[in-house]
Amino acid sequence: MQKGWLARFLRHQGAVCGDKSILVPPYLRTLVPPIILFALFFLSSCRRDLWVYTDELRQVELITDWSEATEVPDGMTWWFMNDNLSGQNRHNKTSDVTHTWLALPRGTFTGIIFDYSPEEYAHIEFLGMTRPDKALAHLPAAADQPLPDDELYGPKSVPYYLHGVPLNPEGNGMYLISSEPELMNADTLFNVVIKTGVEDDLILWDEREKYETTLETQTIEAQPHPIVWQLHVKVAVKGLQYMYSVRASVAGLADGCWLSTLRHTSTPCLQALDNWQTQNAWTDRVGYITTSVHTFGLIDTDMPPSSESTFLSRSGEVVHYDEHLRLNLQFMLRDRQTVLNYHFDLGSDCITVEEDQLIVNIDIPIDYPEGIPDLPYVDEVDASGFDATVTPWADGGTADTTM
């Protein structure tokens, strides 16, 4: 019974059944000849040398010239991003600000060098630092957001045609106030080609452990320069002697700088203007208020903003100054009750750009066509704050003191 059952099973599988036969399933019969031929060819052929790409990191000398920067820092950051977006990026922070060594893999890189380290910038954040076209120095929200104020930080502070200013996440209809950036110096190096190895970047497999590069030292040079602008504001005011304080904001400035091209972003932000100074404040003549802040300048354009009252945006659309830049002023008068608000949509007649010095000037002159702030007379509040009766000290006697 058992032998008959086994014979039927093997016959069903298509194998030869016999007392001394070798059982070979049919699906293996077709593979036996190729396997035998491949084994004979492999064992009888001559072995060729195996060449591999080197994985050595190239030692590159970086020389940095800070003569164009605002100062020579005590630290710097270098960031080299692979142009093929493979993720083989290298970056480091170093105190050797004029001469340092980099260890870079093979490839073509875009290098970004800037002073200090990202952690030392409290008012600039670094985004997209994994690929050159995304590397961005960006203005985060200011730590202290002002109290709600429709005139300075709400709907009235931004021109109708200005889009993209971030709203405060609290949902109160206020815009987000951007930080004022610290001074920063940077340089960008394009097409930094790193080659390692010999024989067209191939070495023998057996020599990979003892390989030493025979190439000459590669040197690259960088020269960081300022990328943060200054905004100077000067406004003529009638009746300035009646002013107690002034608050202000400006909408339409760039919210960052693309580090690979060192061009401003085309997205706007809203910045507060503080630390106002007065000139000729206590006369009947027109006085002036002035202030200066750091900024990334005007939003990115294809034409110098100071050349025309209208200019072409990067999208090819014709844009007017009064569609994207607005100065907002809020005066409290000396009675400490009267508040007056003024808005100025700025044209080229009151904006000048000094690109060689990274300066934007906003000047509202006395003959400004739309008129200047005119503060009315108000009574001044008693500045003493209280009226106290003070009893004079009594005459004191003499007392002996033991030393």
Side-chain angles (χ1 to χ4, degrees), residues 307-320:
S307 63
E308 299 289 343
S309 60
T310 64
F311 59 90
L312 202 63
S313 69
R314 298 200 69 185
S315 62
E317 179 185 2
V318 175
V319 178
H320 299 263

Side-chain angles (χ1 to χ4, degrees), residues 3 49 301 342 403:
K3 183 176 181 180
D49 291 332
T301 63
Y342 295 88
M403 302 297 293

Side-chain angles (χ1 to χ4, degrees), residues 212-225:
E212 293 182 1
T213 182
T214 59
L215 296 178
E216 295 180 358
T217 300
Q218 182 172 347
T219 301
I220 55 179
E221 298 180 355
Q223 188 175 41
H225 55 274

Side-chain angles (χ1 to χ4, degrees), residues 141-308:
D144 297 324
Q145 293 295 311
L147 296 175
D149 191 317
D150 286 350
E151 300 286 343
L152 288 182
Y153 313 114
K156 297 181 181 179
S157 65
V158 173
Y160 173 76
Y161 292 102
L162 183 61
H163 304 288
V165 181
L167 290 172
N168 195 311
E170 295 182 359
N172 55 11
M174 300 293 110
Y175 290 101
L176 207 60
I177 305 301
S178 296
S179 296
E180 179 183 352
E182 301 99 334
L183 293 178
M184 179 180 173
N185 303 274
D187 192 15
T188 303
L189 307 176
F190 297 101
N191 296 320
V192 178
V193 179
I194 304 299
K195 296 188 66 176
T196 58
V198 294
E199 298 292 338
D200 196 21
D201 294 322
L202 293 172
I203 61 172
L204 284 170
W205 171 265
D206 294 337
E207 297 181 0
R208 66 190 186 282
E209 296 295 337
K210 60 181 180 180
Y211 166 74
E212 293 182 1
T213 182
T214 59
L215 296 178
E216 295 180 358
T217 300
Q218 182 172 347
T219 301
I220 55 179
E221 298 180 355
Q223 188 175 41
H225 55 274
I227 66 170
V228 173
W229 290 51
Q230 280 196 333
L231 175 70
H232 298 319
V233 183
K234 182 177 181 180
V235 181
V237 180
K238 293 181 181 179
L240 186 59
Q241 66 269 32
Y242 308 131
M243 182 191 78
Y244 173 71
S245 65
V246 58
R247 302 165 63 207
S249 66
V250 59
L253 298 170
D255 69 350
C257 176
W258 297 107
L259 291 175
S260 61
T261 58
L262 299 183
R263 297 186 68 171
H264 302 158
T265 57
S266 56
T267 51
C269 69
L270 186 70
Q271 281 189 251
L273 302 178
D274 299 315
N275 302 319
W276 289 90
Q277 306 293 323
T278 59
Q279 300 176 7
N280 302 329
W282 308 111
T283 67
D284 293 333
R285 297 175 298 166
V286 172
Y288 297 89
I289 56 173
T290 61
T291 191
S292 297
V293 295
H294 293 140
T295 175
F296 278 123
L298 300 177
I299 60 175
D300 191 25
T301 63
D302 286 334
M303 293 176 57
S306 58
S307 63
E308 299 289 343

Side-chain angles (χ1 to χ4, degrees), residues 131-148:
R131 48 189 292 177
D133 57 330
K134 298 294 184 180
L136 175 65
H138 183 261
L139 292 181
D144 297 324
Q145 293 295 311
L147 296 175

